[in-house]
Amino acid sequence: MAQLSDQHIKPTGVEIPYVDHAEELGQCQITNIKDNDDGFTSFLISPYVLGAAALASCGGFSFGYDQGVISVILTMPQFFRQYPETAPGHPSREFNIGFMTGVLELGAFIGCLIMPYLADRFSRKWGLTMATSIFTVGAIIQTASHNFATLVVGRAIGGAGVGALALGAPLYISEISPPKLRGSLLVLEFIAIVVGAITSYWITYGTKDILTDASFRLPFGLQVIPALGVGIGIHFFPYSPRWLALRKRDDEGFASLLKLRGVSSADSQIQEEWVSILVEARLQEAVNTSEHPNAGPLHSEFLQWIDLFKPKYRKRTYIALAIPFFQQFSGINAFVYYAPTFFAALGQDQNMSLILAGIVNVAQFTAGLPTLLLLDKVGRRKIAIVGGIAMAVPHIITAGIVDIYVLCYATSYGPLTWILPAEVFPTSKRAKGVSASTAVLWGSNFVIGVIVPIMLQKIGWGTYIFFAAFCILAAIFSYFLVPETAGATLEDIGRLFGDNFGEEEMELRRQIEMEVRRNLSRTNLDVKCGV
């Protein structure tokens, strides 16, 4: 059985009378922290958390920004002149457009695999800063490129930054949020993507009539500004208390939690939340040590990836991988990237096609706002089931009622992809679990980006039926395998997956909580046993 070191957890400046809870330790039960505030009032009492989450979610703005830019420049004669490989009439046009569009997602696939190491080793905050630096380099190369190959390389490098940002932001948000706000705050990632797409779309729509290559280089270059804002601004907010607990920086972790919650150290709820964080961190540390006792750092890193597919974590992993897969194969980015092409095929002129395509992202934003406030009340499971069916119907009935489909998507699989993977994994597996989920997102996105132009050319309306089939599969999968995680703490979600049913692990958890509470009582932090 793994043993714990005697860690001091008292934050600087905390003076609480010594209380001996030795008699209570034998009766300790695993705590279940609940937040008593719901809805909009919860945001008002947690403005610091909201600010940190909003800034971190702006990493998603970069991905959304690229979507908006690409969908417009693919209609620009100026772009075709600069990069003739994408121009109408080129024999490989469909493949070149698909590859140029999708290579960002291919880079993102690589970036999200690198991010777990950065997030675990250097912190969630510094990981986000490194990701924005990579993205900025890629954006500069795209802006300055004068041939197709350089453009593709710039998009691949920028994609690595986007992938890392898309992983780091929900990871950070999930670890700083109170349980009752976590789902709503994670929706900010989805909202930021949509806002990025809307912003860049209309910027590029405004520059499309510039006769020079500035028509597309200006929108490419502007994406550097919000990325740098995230990389710099995140350092005005605290480190993740859960990451600090994993690094055994307990004084800083508790101080960070106090700062995020805006309460004093005497608050009983904040004390219990800190106990819950420490117990989970120490438990996962003990489990990892037990699972890989003799592994070196690199070997242990590899083995922890393999752990995701062990029976204990397998159901979590299936959910975390399936939700982003179904999100992409519901057809959303096919519409976002190629919406002007869809509307042109329906007989609209170029200008009207661009205007109607811009409305698609506005529809996403409109539907996403109420989701921000209602998601934690409605629950993830219901949304996953109903959303899958609702997205399939527009596809099947008329083979492409775009706006109705987008509204259904924006209230279901749009936000769920950023919420469920960040929730279902325990602390020690979260970085790698969310990374695997994000890798599936980007891998699927790359496939969609490449195949959709070819599918539209070869099978036409059958493309919509293809997407409808996956929407129905998403609903079936969610009905049988997705549990309800709304309102539960990250530490307690493990119970939904049966992690704590083994007698040995239950005993280990009880011993760890006893040890944590004993250490807290020794440092004069008045934390009693949970009920």
Side-chain angles (χ1 to χ4, degrees), residues 293-497:
N294 301 315
L298 291 178
H299 190 207
S300 177
E301 181 82 6
F302 173 75
L303 291 175
Q304 288 181 54
W305 282 102
I306 301 300
D307 287 344
L308 297 178
F309 296 93
K310 287 185 175 180
K312 179 176 180 179
Y313 303 108
R314 192 176 295 159
K315 186 177 178 182
R316 299 170 183 260
T317 303
Y318 289 161
I319 293 170
L321 300 186
I323 295 299
F325 172 83
F326 285 126
Q327 186 212 60
Q328 288 305 304
F329 276 81
S330 75
I332 183 59
N333 281 330
F335 288 121
V336 172
Y337 279 129
Y338 304 115
T341 304
F342 286 136
F343 287 116
L346 294 175
Q348 302 295 329
D349 62 36
Q350 182 183 18
N351 191 58
M352 182 56 66
S353 294
L354 289 170
I355 292 174
L356 291 174
I359 294 174
V360 169
N361 286 321
V362 175
Q364 280 200 75
F365 180 75
T366 303
L369 283 180
T371 306
L372 176 67
L373 299 176
L374 298 176
L375 184 66
D376 283 313
K377 291 184 177 180
V378 176
R380 283 62 152 157
R381 176 179 162 80
K382 291 179 182 177
I383 288 177
I385 297 169
V386 175
I389 297 171
M391 289 189 298
V393 171
H395 283 310
I396 295 172
I397 292 178
T398 61
I401 304 179
V402 176
D403 288 329
I404 295 177
Y405 159 78
V406 168
L407 289 172
C408 297
Y409 164 84
T411 55
S412 57
Y413 281 79
L416 283 178
T417 294
W418 304 105
I419 296 172
L420 278 172
E423 287 184 332
V424 297
F425 289 104
T427 302
S428 68
K429 298 291 188 290
R430 190 169 301 126
K432 290 178 178 59
V434 174
S435 175
S437 171
T438 311
V440 169
L441 173 73
W442 296 122
S444 302
N445 203 335
F446 171 70
V447 172
I448 291 296
V450 171
I451 68 172
V452 164
I454 299 171
M455 289 178 67
L456 289 172
Q457 183 186 41
K458 300 292 185 182
I459 63 174
W461 65 271
T463 305
Y464 301 106
I465 305 304
F466 172 83
F467 291 137
F470 281 100
C471 292
I472 294 171
L473 287 174
I476 296 171
F477 175 89
S478 300
Y479 179 82
F480 287 104
L481 291 176
V482 175
E484 184 53 70
T485 60
T489 66
L490 290 174
E491 286 68 35
D492 288 339
I493 282 174
R495 296 180 178 181
L496 295 173
F497 295 94

Side-chain angles (χ1 to χ4, degrees), residues 8-30:
H8 289 295
I9 318 174
K10 177 184 175 183
T12 305
V14 175
E15 294 295 339
I16 301 176
Y18 175 79
V19 179
D20 187 359
H21 297 304
E23 294 182 359
E24 299 170 341
L25 290 173
Q27 304 172 0
C28 281
Q29 304 291 328
I30 305 304

Side-chain angles (χ1 to χ4, degrees), residues 213-291:
D213 58 2
S215 58
F216 58 86
R217 296 194 191 279
L218 180 60
F220 273 148
L222 289 176
Q223 62 188 319
V224 170
I225 297 173
L228 290 177
V230 174
I232 296 170
I234 197 65
H235 293 284
F236 291 95
F237 293 95
Y239 288 95
S240 160
R242 290 177 172 86
W243 177 80
L244 290 167
L246 282 172
R247 305 296 292 182
K248 296 186 178 179
R249 293 161 59 177
D250 295 338
D251 287 11
E252 298 172 70
F254 188 59
S256 175
L257 187 63
L258 292 178
K259 192 172 186 179
L260 286 165
R261 300 295 181 264
V263 298
S264 74
S265 59
D267 184 274
S268 60
Q269 190 173 3
I270 204 71
Q271 292 174 7
E272 291 302 327
E273 184 174 0
W274 179 237
V275 167
S276 182
I277 290 171
L278 284 176
V279 169
E280 181 69 11
R282 301 296 186 262
L283 174 65
Q284 293 304 318
E285 177 189 13
V287 169
N288 285 339
T289 301
S290 175
E291 290 176 344

